Amino acid sequence: MNAAEPQRAAGEAAQDLVLEIAGLEKTFNPGRSNAVPAISDLYLAVRPREFVSIIGPSGCGKSTLLRLVGGLIKPTGGELSVNGRTAGEARLNRDYGMVFQAAGLLDWRTALRNVELPLELMGWSKLRRRKRAKEMLELVDLGGFASHYPAELSGGMQQRVSIARALSFEPSLLLMDEPFGALDEMTREHMQAELLKIWRETATTVIFITHSIPEAVFLSTRVAVMSPRPARIAAELSIDLPERTPQTRDTEEFFRNVSLVRRTLRSVEGQ
């Protein structure tokens, strides 16, 4: 377990990081009587190909942090860069894709045309975006459902279409905000395995918000634990598992890591 101010390893430069956050601050309604300090003095560094899950007490600001990284809201202070750019610049540069708890598919577009949407907005030709969308549906094992509409797909299948859409333009960073939170347990475990497969087959770095400690341990190379509001990264834990298969959840190493994260979260909540 490390202190909350990590940051670069010796000799590591900013360009070696996909995400670098230093002293991040976010206050809603600043200067008013109803001001809410959400994030304070937060540090986080994420390297290429990492899978970093962020957990913390309910309402601590996990989704706020993701929205700051995604350039959807602006920080009050501190520094935040994605591939050496500001969050706003990174958003314009298509440096990241985003997946939320709701798949957010357009009901009147087929699975294929939903995946095509960001490519269409980017001005790709019809032939090029159609080819790419088909490739992405194959990646998430939905090649046979290209012509299906969202209402004809299960919740897990809809989320796979959402992931395919988010990865269609090859972002370097994938931001995921509790994407499996609304799924039943068995579907959720299946989706976790699918996500790991996709992560291994692409060069994408993942930042994953979850309330589930077992989910964070199963998926992640590292877990960042947030403190109660105003939030900071109170601890970072490396997850050392020899493999990630359905059988992994029954191993001693898995339970040991889950227990470590749980103890850390409890200690953070008690601060």
Side-chain angles (χ1 to χ4, degrees):
M1 182 169 65
N2 300 321
E5 212 172 306
Q7 310 335 314
R8 302 178 196 164
E12 186 173 37
Q15 59 264 32
D16 298 323
L17 300 173
V18 174
L19 173 67
E20 184 173 29
I21 299 174
L24 188 67
E25 306 275 344
K26 178 59 181 178
T27 299
F28 292 100
N29 305 319
R32 301 179 186 176
S33 59
N34 61 343
V36 178
I39 290 174
S40 178
D41 199 31
L42 187 146
Y43 288 79
L44 182 66
V46 179
R47 297 163 183 84
R49 299 300 306 267
E50 279 197 286
F51 195 123
V52 178
S53 284
I54 299 176
I55 66 169
S58 181
C60 71
K62 298 183 292 296
S63 293
T64 296
L65 175 59
L66 211 67
R67 290 166 66 198
L68 287 163
V69 174
L72 301 178
I73 57 175
K74 295 183 178 180
T76 308
E79 299 179 359
L80 188 160
S81 65
V82 177
N83 293 326
R85 305 179 181 90
T86 68
E89 291 169 343
R91 188 179 183 192
L92 291 174
N93 197 59
R94 304 283 183 176
D95 282 345
Y96 42 66
M98 302 187 74
V99 180
F100 299 97
Q101 184 169 338
L105 304 180
L106 300 180
D107 293 338
W108 58 91
R109 295 179 74 118
T110 63
L112 184 71
R113 295 198 64 229
N114 265 286
V115 177
E116 284 185 40
L117 182 59
L119 308 178
E120 186 176 333
L121 295 174
M122 293 168 66
W124 287 34
S125 70
K126 183 176 181 179
L127 184 63
R128 184 184 176 203
R129 68 178 184 254
R130 184 64 48 92
K131 180 176 182 293
R132 178 61 176 170
K134 288 180 178 179
E135 292 172 351
M136 297 312 300
L137 286 175
E138 290 291 343
L139 178 67
V140 298
D141 292 330
L142 288 176
F145 293 86
S147 62
H148 286 60
Y149 289 89
E152 300 170 326
L153 304 175
S154 69
M157 294 167 78
Q158 290 182 29
Q159 278 296 53
R160 277 189 275 166
V161 174
S162 180
I163 293 170
R165 180 179 60 188
L167 292 172
S168 62
F169 48 91
E170 297 185 326
S172 61
L173 181 60
L174 182 62
L175 306 177
M176 309 188 78
D177 192 356
E178 296 192 74
F180 309 144
L183 304 178
D184 66 83
E185 192 64 23
M186 294 305 295
T187 302
R188 186 169 184 157
E189 289 187 0
H190 175 70
M191 288 299 300
Q192 291 166 6
E194 288 292 313
L195 178 58
L196 282 178
K197 184 196 78 169
I198 294 166
W199 173 62
R200 292 187 187 108
E201 293 179 6
T202 65
T204 309
T205 304
V206 179
I207 298 178
F208 189 95
I209 304 293
T210 180
H211 279 102
S212 170
I213 293 173
E215 180 171 71
V217 168
F218 183 75
L219 291 172
S220 309
T221 57
R222 181 157 51 104
V223 173
V225 182
M226 290 181 70
S227 70
R229 196 175 64 233
R232 58 188 177 85
I233 300 297
E236 297 184 40
L237 307 170
S238 295
I239 304 300
D240 183 19
L241 292 174
E243 60 180 355
R244 315 287 173 111
T245 67
Q247 291 71 38
T248 298
R249 296 183 178 88
D250 298 323
T251 64
E252 182 178 341
E253 292 91 343
F254 181 76
F255 286 113
R256 178 175 54 80
N257 279 280
V258 168
S259 295
L260 175 60
V261 176
R262 182 175 289 114
R263 290 196 305 270
T264 303
L265 181 58
R266 285 174 178 168
S267 69
V268 166
E269 289 178 323
Q271 290 177 3

